[in-house]
């Protein structure tokens, strides 16, 4: 059996979800980028319908997505987090990106482990990195980080302190040279605090020196002499 197009997958899942409990929130479908052969149906569901949508996607009589590919999240700032799962049908060769917006405060969504056992590792990682709780997960314990680690590194407010707490071992900053010439203040990526405002060097770093300008040559007079 051949797979459906991304548009057909999205329409099919929306139709099947209309028959359960529409009072729990609306469902919308779109198509991801990637071009022919790579585009996927993207179906947005409310948190309350996340588990049921995955159940329908798995059902052989519906979409038949029997293979769990991956799950992760995206920090959308004050709007919360988008939890995304990619599900695939090994028989029909089509897939769907199932997505739900989880609130930032008390972020929680149902675990998919009882439908897709392969989701266990991904949900544990997402819990560690974003602080999103997966209700009914059988073993939501640390996966990658040590037990004493505090915070969730993939949240946008998490401070990336490595370049402040210790010297950066990589390449020179723009404008810096082995000769020790003056350099401009480096650009900080998002999440990296100003070392003069946070960390062990707080208040101790002098402002960057302005680069010296070469002297201008003397102007010549009309007679050809300086």
């Amino acid at each position: 059996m051949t797979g459906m197009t991304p548009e057909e997958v999205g329409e099919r899942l929306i139709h099947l979800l209309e028959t359960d409990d529409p009072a729990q929130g609306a469902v919308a479908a779109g198509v991801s980028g990637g071009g022919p052969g790579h585009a996927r149906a993207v179906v947005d569901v409310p948190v309350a319908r996340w588990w049921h949508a995955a159940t329908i996607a798995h059902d052989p009589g519906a979409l038949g997505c029997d293979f769990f590919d991956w799950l992760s999240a995206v920090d959308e700032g004050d709007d919360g987090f988008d939890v995304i799962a990619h599900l695939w049908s090994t028989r029909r060769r089509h897939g769907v990106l199932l997505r739900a917006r989880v609130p930032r405060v008390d972020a929680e969504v149902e675990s998919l482990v009882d439908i897709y056992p392969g989701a266990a590792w991904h949900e544990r990682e997402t819990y560690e990195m974003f602080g999103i709780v997966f209700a009914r997960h059988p073993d939501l314990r640390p996966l990658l980080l040590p037990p004493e680690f505090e915070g969730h590194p993939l949240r946008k407010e998490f401070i990336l302190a490595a370049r402040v707490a210790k010297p950066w071992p990589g390449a020179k900053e723009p404008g810096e040279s082995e000769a020790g010439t003056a350099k401009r203040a480096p650009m900080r990526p998002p999440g990296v605090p100003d070392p003069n405002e946070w960390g062990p060097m707080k208040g101790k770093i002098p402002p960057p020196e302005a680069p010296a300008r070469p002297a201008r040559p003397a102007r010549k007079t009309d007679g050809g002499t300086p």
Side-chain angles (χ1 to χ4, degrees):
M1 182 182 294
T2 58
M4 295 183 283
T5 66
E7 291 82 3
E8 292 171 335
V9 170
E11 291 172 3
R12 175 70 171 156
L13 188 51
I14 284 181
H15 172 72
L16 293 167
L17 283 168
E18 285 177 350
T19 63
D20 85 297
D21 187 3
Q24 295 189 56
V27 180
V31 177
S32 73
H38 300 283
R40 296 285 182 268
V42 182
V43 179
D44 289 285
V45 300
V47 173
R49 306 178 78 179
W50 168 257
W51 183 89
H52 192 70
T55 302
I56 292 177
H58 183 271
D59 187 347
L63 295 182
C65 292
D66 56 327
F67 179 73
F68 175 89
D69 191 6
W70 55 264
L71 179 148
S72 190
V74 178
D75 188 338
E76 297 291 353
D78 293 338
D79 293 331
F81 304 97
D82 279 341
V83 178
I84 309 167
H86 182 231
L87 313 174
W88 180 255
S89 173
T90 57
R91 182 184 176 205
R92 303 175 189 176
R93 312 301 296 173
H94 60 230
V96 60
L97 285 162
L98 194 62
R99 183 169 63 185
R101 178 65 57 85
V102 179
R104 195 165 198 88
V105 178
D106 298 327
E108 183 174 325
V109 67
E110 284 194 85
S111 171
L112 302 182
V113 171
D114 54 351
I115 310 169
Y116 297 102
W121 188 95
H122 299 253
E123 290 179 350
R124 287 173 60 189
E125 181 187 41
T126 304
Y127 168 67
E128 278 192 305
M129 297 297 153
F130 292 93
I132 300 170
V133 174
F134 290 85
R136 299 186 299 105
H137 189 290
D139 189 23
L140 203 60
R141 58 187 171 87
L143 175 70
L144 303 173
L145 303 174
E148 65 275 10
F149 192 91
E150 296 182 2
H152 305 287
L154 292 187
R155 286 195 174 205
K156 288 183 177 179
E157 70 267 21
F158 186 84
I159 294 179
L160 303 175
R163 294 194 66 177
V164 178
K166 60 183 179 180
W168 181 244
K172 296 289 184 180
E173 297 284 3
E176 185 178 4
S177 70
E178 297 293 343
T181 57
K183 64 175 183 178
R184 69 178 186 224
M187 295 179 63
R188 296 191 308 278
V192 177
D194 186 337
N196 208 28
E197 297 178 357
W198 188 96
M201 298 301 294
K202 179 178 180 180
K204 301 177 182 179
I205 301 176
E209 299 177 8
R213 294 185 177 181
R216 294 183 178 181
R219 294 182 179 181
K220 294 182 179 181
T221 63
D222 293 339
T225 57

